[in-house]
Amino acid sequence: MPLSRWLVPVLAVLFVPLWASGFIAGKIATGYLDVPAVLVWRFAIALAVMLVAAAVLRPARPEGRAWLHLAVTALLLQIGQFSFVYTGLASGVPAGLSSLILGMAPLLVGLLTPLLLATRLGIAPVAGLLIGAGGVYVVRAGDLGGGLGWAVVLPVLGMLSLTAGTLYQKRFNDRTPVVTSVVVQMATSLVATLVAWPFLGADWLPSGTGGWLAVGWLGIVNSAGAFVLMFLLLRWRSTVFVSSLLNLVPATTALCAVPVLGEPLTPQALLGLAIALVGMFVGLGRLPGRRRPLADPDDDAADAPGVPATPR
């Protein structure tokens, strides 16, 4: 396709920083708002954007149990993941470390897929997971993760929620139109957060302009915009291609956090990031000398484990 020949590289270059920006904006937002309020505004803004998209595209509605499956996925991927991640950010966990830990979810998905989804798995994902875990340890042992105590467990729980939600999405929601899936999940997440609101004691509104800008970025750019790019790339390429881009997110987040958030980036942290990236590439079979043609996005072989199939 002549259009995608030049458009795909452009979208790929834009996709990585937009996806990584969610950790930066999340860190800023939790400085102005309580975590429940960050969630409410993220879900509300993203839902408004996706409702406009649904009005234009008119995707098919879920039928029968599909509604329930989408709701369960929302509780795992949206409520579970972001509640833990944002609470960790608010408790002092650096954005770079949070991104690195959540960046291991694709490998964990690959490791669990043959057990839960009856899909064959080679040795590469197992080796990649172990290498990536070593990278997380190196980063955690340096200044980037020092002195966090219990708070470092929060992004780990967020990563587990992301993994569980991804597996559930792959198992039950594969045939649901993307826009429909996003709308239902955002609506479910918003309702669940509002129901719990009386018990959370959080303030509604950001305390300054920076808070509004942060939640606006999370809702429009990170929740909606980054996923528009992701879905276009999945249509024109494959999940393997998108997986390769997701491997770059942890390092991008850590580098951007230096000037934006003032987070330290020590040589030890850089080494840990490099090790984790190697582990992710190994786990996804993207080693030099083992190149293979990118599969068609509609091919079952292209839908290999390793890419979260729902929005972040």
Side-chain angles (χ1 to χ4, degrees):
M1 185 181 297
L3 179 63
S4 65
R5 181 177 302 176
W6 63 267
L7 187 56
V8 166
V10 172
L11 295 183
V13 170
L14 291 174
F15 171 73
V16 173
L18 288 186
W19 188 277
S21 70
F23 296 95
I24 306 295
K27 185 73 171 181
I28 295 173
T30 54
Y32 289 90
L33 278 166
D34 295 328
V35 170
V38 176
L39 294 174
V40 164
W41 285 105
R42 177 190 178 104
F43 298 145
I45 294 172
L47 177 61
V49 172
M50 295 311 299
L51 283 174
V52 173
V56 174
L57 299 175
R58 298 182 180 276
R61 295 182 180 181
E63 297 182 359
R65 293 186 178 181
W67 291 98
L68 176 61
H69 292 316
L70 288 171
V72 172
T73 305
L75 294 177
L76 292 170
L77 273 178
Q78 305 296 334
I79 298 292
Q81 178 189 182
F82 292 115
S83 294
F84 288 125
V85 171
Y86 290 159
T87 302
L89 292 172
S91 301
V93 179
L97 181 58
S98 298
S99 174
L100 180 62
I101 293 174
L102 266 77
M104 294 189 66
L107 290 177
L108 190 55
V109 168
L111 185 64
L112 294 176
T113 292
L115 300 177
L116 302 177
L117 302 182
T119 301
R120 292 179 58 189
L121 180 69
I123 194 173
V126 179
L129 180 61
L130 295 176
I131 296 172
V136 173
Y137 173 79
V138 171
V139 174
R140 179 64 183 90
D143 294 336
L144 186 59
L148 293 177
W150 65 271
V152 76
V153 175
L154 293 170
V156 174
L157 295 175
M159 183 268 291
L160 294 176
S161 295
L162 171 59
T163 300
T166 299
L167 290 168
Y168 197 92
Q169 169 75 10
K170 287 180 178 292
R171 175 65 178 85
F172 295 106
N173 302 326
D174 251 3
R175 297 184 179 181
T176 304
V178 168
V179 173
T180 301
S181 179
V182 176
V183 168
V184 175
Q185 289 187 36
M186 291 299 171
T188 301
S189 302
L190 179 60
V191 170
T193 308
L194 291 176
V195 168
W197 192 274
F199 307 98
L200 302 176
D203 293 330
W204 281 98
L205 301 177
S207 58
T209 303
W212 284 110
L213 293 175
V215 295
W217 186 277
L218 288 174
I220 299 172
V221 178
N222 187 245
S223 292
F227 270 88
V228 169
L229 297 184
M230 182 180 185
F231 298 148
L232 289 175
L233 291 170
L234 285 171
R235 173 171 295 183
W236 290 333
R237 288 294 185 267
S238 68
T239 53
V240 174
F241 181 83
V242 176
S243 293
S244 300
L245 297 178
L246 289 174
N247 291 334
L248 304 176
V249 169
T252 302
T253 303
L255 292 173
C256 292
V258 176
V260 178
L261 302 177
E263 293 184 357
L265 192 63
T266 65
Q268 188 171 355
L270 285 173
L271 176 61
L273 288 170
I275 294 173
L277 287 175
V278 170
M280 291 177 190
F281 275 95
V282 170
L284 293 169
R286 305 293 290 178
L287 288 175
R290 296 187 59 189
R291 298 182 63 182
R292 59 181 179 180
L294 292 174
D296 185 88
D298 293 326
D299 191 346
D300 289 340
D303 203 16
V307 178
T310 55
R312 290 198 32 140

